[in-house]
Amino acid sequence: MSTAEARLRDRIGGGRALALIDGNSFYCSCERVFDAKLARVPVIVLSNNDGCAIARTPEAKALGIKMGDPYFKIRGLCEAQGVRVFSSNYTLYGDMSARINAIYRDSTPDVEVSSIDESFLDLTAFVRRDRVALARDIRATVRAWTGIPTCVGIGPTKTLAKLANHIAKTVPELDGVCDLTEPTAYEHWLCRIHVGELWGVGRASLPKLEAMGIDTVADLRDIDPRPVRKALTVVGERMIHELRGVSCLGLELVPARRKGCAVTRSFSGRVTERSELEQAVAAHATRLGEKLRREGLGTDHITVFYHTSEHDRGEPMRSVSTMVTLPEATNDTLALIPAALHGVARTWREQGSPPWRYSKAGVVTVDLKPLAASQRALIGQLDRERAGRLMGALDVCNARFGRGSVVPARAGLAQQRRTWTTKFEMRTPRYTTQVDELPVAHA
């Protein structure tokens, strides 16, 4: 073992190795899987209501399309340059993500799903020369089984694994895999990567680091942590230790219990009628109940809000929010909906001229608790046994036939929701989860 390798092994406390694997332009790659004509064509995916660009292929980036660009501003560019534009298809993306993570778990049981397109894997049990081979095998398997291209970054800490992933993406010669547990690569790359590329360094913190004379990642690694902690709080100091190979951010193999939950949506058009607003809030309360039941949690209060848009200049502005208390914690949709509608009734004002044109509404709750362990009400106790059976049947139907197949009437029928439901005018079929939307092969 060389002196450099021994020094690095001392830093990382015994040769720990984490891999960060992410899908390249994940949303766009999912769209390409089911349409071979999209290969090497600029592609972007838009946010809810087809608002902003949230995923771009390299070809789209080369045209100058930036993350978060409003679609109405780049529509002309997209039409002129032949950019293929899609609405978000979160059902498809979520299912593809689950398939990819199943492949990861075939290689190692210790997997932390960081986001829909990123996962950390613990590769400590593998010797170093086998790690790169394993990473390449995982990439090839994911590409063959799902069609999604990935890159792999390996490092002794999460921060270094994230940095390695960035290097793997931007240096074609590495063929999609970078291993910073290897001493030579560690020393080579840290002095060549600008500190602004580091995970956790944003627009506010970068000028502070540059004022300290920090230009590269290696500069940050080698500086005294005390002034960095003073400028960037404990987050900055933690970053330095992570760059030195001291793990400060462990793998979260068991997701932390949810503390709060929010269901909020911008309307596809402006809402002026109370009946439409109530229908939207009831639908949000229905979705809230689904989320809480999935994790066995309950809430004894909800906050209902709705507001106009700051972009509607020259029109009346209004923003309201109110909390509604329930007699005890519940995740029963039929208890949450009346509470949410009570919030609307409490805050609604009759329209004047010109009317308030509401653009968004939501239902939010915090301080969630396990329903089975929550305290029962002395007065106004809810019938949890009956509600549990009814909601269980509701969830089974929606799981089998698709979300929204069975909903309370207050949440509205599909054809009644067009004025306020999220707009997905360019969404592709949900190929992997809806029987009536399966891809069709022609001989």
Side-chain angles (χ1 to χ4, degrees):
M1 184 185 298
S2 68
T3 303
E5 185 173 358
R7 185 170 64 251
L8 181 59
R9 279 193 171 271
D10 286 343
R11 284 197 191 118
I12 64 177
R16 188 176 190 216
L18 301 177
L20 175 66
I21 311 181
D22 77 337
N24 300 339
S25 304
F26 182 67
Y27 292 175
C28 298
S29 294
C30 289
E31 300 293 348
R32 280 177 164 174
V33 167
F34 297 95
D35 187 350
K37 295 178 181 178
L38 298 178
R40 294 181 292 278
V41 171
V43 177
I44 65 171
V45 173
L46 304 176
S47 61
N48 287 341
N49 287 316
D50 297 339
C52 304
I54 57 173
R56 307 155 295 153
T57 59
E59 297 85 356
K61 295 176 184 178
L63 295 175
I65 298 175
K66 296 181 174 56
M67 183 69 78
D69 275 353
Y71 181 52
F72 75 90
K73 288 186 176 182
I74 60 173
R75 185 193 297 268
L77 172 65
C78 292
E79 293 174 351
Q81 297 295 330
V83 179
R84 294 295 303 275
V85 182
F86 296 95
S87 302
S88 300
N89 191 343
Y90 295 119
T91 302
L92 174 65
Y93 308 152
D95 185 68
M96 295 293 285
S97 176
R99 292 166 186 253
I100 291 172
N101 279 285
I103 297 172
Y104 298 160
R105 291 189 174 92
D106 286 341
S107 302
T108 175
D110 297 331
V111 177
E112 175 194 326
V113 181
S114 178
S115 66
I116 195 169
D117 65 336
E118 289 188 343
S119 294
F120 286 99
L121 284 64
D122 191 343
L123 303 184
T124 304
F126 298 87
V127 297
R128 192 172 63 230
R129 70 167 169 260
D130 292 341
R131 290 171 192 156
V132 173
L134 175 63
R136 297 196 189 284
D137 181 66
I138 292 174
R139 287 189 76 230
T141 303
V142 170
R143 188 63 184 262
W145 291 9
T146 69
I148 301 295
T150 58
C151 284
V152 185
I154 306 172
T157 65
K158 279 187 171 181
T159 301
L160 285 169
K162 187 85 170 178
L163 181 64
N165 185 275
H166 165 74
I167 297 169
K169 279 184 176 179
T170 54
V171 182
E173 294 78 15
L174 295 176
D175 195 24
V177 178
C178 178
D179 182 9
L180 291 184
T181 66
E182 201 281 315
T184 304
Y186 173 83
E187 298 294 345
H188 174 83
W189 288 113
L190 262 65
C191 61
R192 286 170 171 77
I193 303 298
H194 187 261
V195 70
E197 302 294 343
L198 194 62
W199 185 34
V201 176
R203 282 185 244 175
S205 52
L206 181 58
K208 298 176 183 178
L209 294 175
E210 291 177 335
M212 298 178 193
I214 298 172
D215 182 55
T216 68
V217 174
D219 294 337
L220 180 60
R221 175 199 62 189
D222 297 334
I223 198 172
D224 184 346
R226 287 173 292 183
V228 176
R229 178 180 181 128
K230 187 175 181 181
L232 304 184
T233 72
V234 70
V235 175
E237 183 177 10
R238 186 186 299 144
M239 207 181 303
I240 293 174
H241 290 307
E242 286 258 321
L243 290 175
R244 294 176 179 177
V246 179
S247 179
C248 302
L249 303 168
L251 282 186
E252 297 178 5
L253 302 179
V254 178
R257 196 187 84 195
R258 185 193 289 267
K259 296 180 180 178
C261 188
V263 181
T264 69
R265 297 287 186 275
S266 294
F267 303 137
S268 55
R270 297 296 186 254
V271 168
T272 59
E273 299 296 325
R274 176 173 171 175
S275 59
E276 290 181 307
L277 181 63
E278 288 180 333
Q279 191 179 89
V281 169
H284 296 344
T286 301
R287 181 67 181 135
L288 177 68
E290 293 173 359
K291 290 186 174 185
L292 297 182
R293 289 193 296 276
R294 190 169 58 214
E295 301 186 31
L297 300 174
T299 182
D300 58 9
H301 63 275
I302 60 172
T303 297
V304 179
F305 77 87
Y306 52 97
H307 59 71
T308 55
S309 172
E310 63 181 8
H311 300 294
D312 292 341
R313 297 192 177 99
E315 297 189 8
M317 297 285 110
R318 187 167 186 247
S319 177
V320 294
S321 173
T322 185
M323 179 184 290
V324 181
T325 302
L326 293 143
E328 64 182 36
T330 184
N331 54 28
D332 179 6
T333 295
L334 300 185
L336 296 172
I337 287 179
L341 296 179
H342 179 66
V344 174
R346 181 191 292 175
T347 55
W348 179 263
R349 289 185 187 173
E350 292 304 319
Q351 294 282 20
S353 180
W356 288 295
R357 301 171 69 243
Y358 297 109
S359 63
K360 186 174 183 177
V363 179
V364 182
T365 185
V366 294
D367 298 328
L368 299 178
K369 56 202 74 176
L371 189 61
S374 63
Q375 186 172 348
R376 302 305 304 272
L378 182 62
I379 300 174
Q381 191 173 103
L382 303 176
D383 189 345
R384 286 186 180 173
E385 185 177 349
R386 176 181 177 276
R389 292 195 302 269
L390 180 58
M391 291 300 106
L394 183 74
D395 293 339
V396 167
C397 289
N398 285 323
R400 181 174 180 181
F401 300 108
R403 183 189 300 164
S405 297
V406 182
V407 297
R410 279 301 243 162
L413 302 177
Q415 60 267 29
Q416 297 175 332
R417 299 179 182 175
R418 293 175 183 166
T419 56
W420 59 265
T421 48
T422 304
K423 181 169 61 177
F424 296 106
E425 293 183 346
M426 297 171 282
R427 188 180 70 184
T428 51
R430 293 159 291 184
Y431 297 106
T432 62
T433 57
Q434 297 293 107
V435 173
D436 58 345
E437 297 181 21
L438 288 173
V440 177
H442 299 277

